[in-house]
Amino acid sequence: MMSDDRVNDRIDEAVLALLYLGIFERHPMGGARTWKSFDWSAMERLHEKELISNPVSKAKSVALTDAGLAQSEAAFRRLFGSDG
């Protein structure tokens, strides 16, 4: 049986991949904005890892950091085998 940390890491990777799918705006200086309609616990963990902006706001989107954008694209390709 997997540990809770390992399960959460896998959930976080899947959410990060789906955040890549929801990108609606890329910033010229890096990063992007994406819709945030995912599990709040996973979103908070991604924020703690400095991959997204603080999800606790009235906005319906979050900003992906440069690292978050790179990792979300990699996770999307790894999990879904697509070029996006």
Side-chain angles (χ1 to χ4, degrees), residues 1-82:
M1 191 165 154
M2 275 193 273
S3 70
D4 288 345
D5 287 342
R6 180 70 181 125
V7 170
N8 284 341
D9 286 345
R10 293 178 78 178
I11 290 169
D12 294 353
E13 181 181 29
V15 170
L16 198 56
L18 293 171
L19 286 170
Y20 179 75
L21 187 62
I23 290 173
F24 64 90
E25 179 181 289
R26 289 182 183 259
H27 300 282
M29 299 298 289
R33 290 203 68 80
T34 185
W35 302 114
K36 69 175 186 182
S37 58
F38 295 99
D39 176 74
W40 284 106
S41 297
M43 296 295 285
E44 184 58 33
R45 288 190 302 271
L46 294 174
H47 174 63
E48 289 172 2
K49 294 174 184 177
E50 298 182 355
L51 299 173
I52 64 171
S53 62
N54 191 346
V56 181
S57 72
K58 291 184 180 184
K60 294 182 181 182
S61 64
V62 292
L64 287 163
T65 63
D66 290 341
L69 178 57
Q71 288 185 37
S72 68
E73 181 176 5
F76 182 83
R77 293 176 194 277
R78 186 171 44 259
L79 293 173
F80 302 111
S82 174

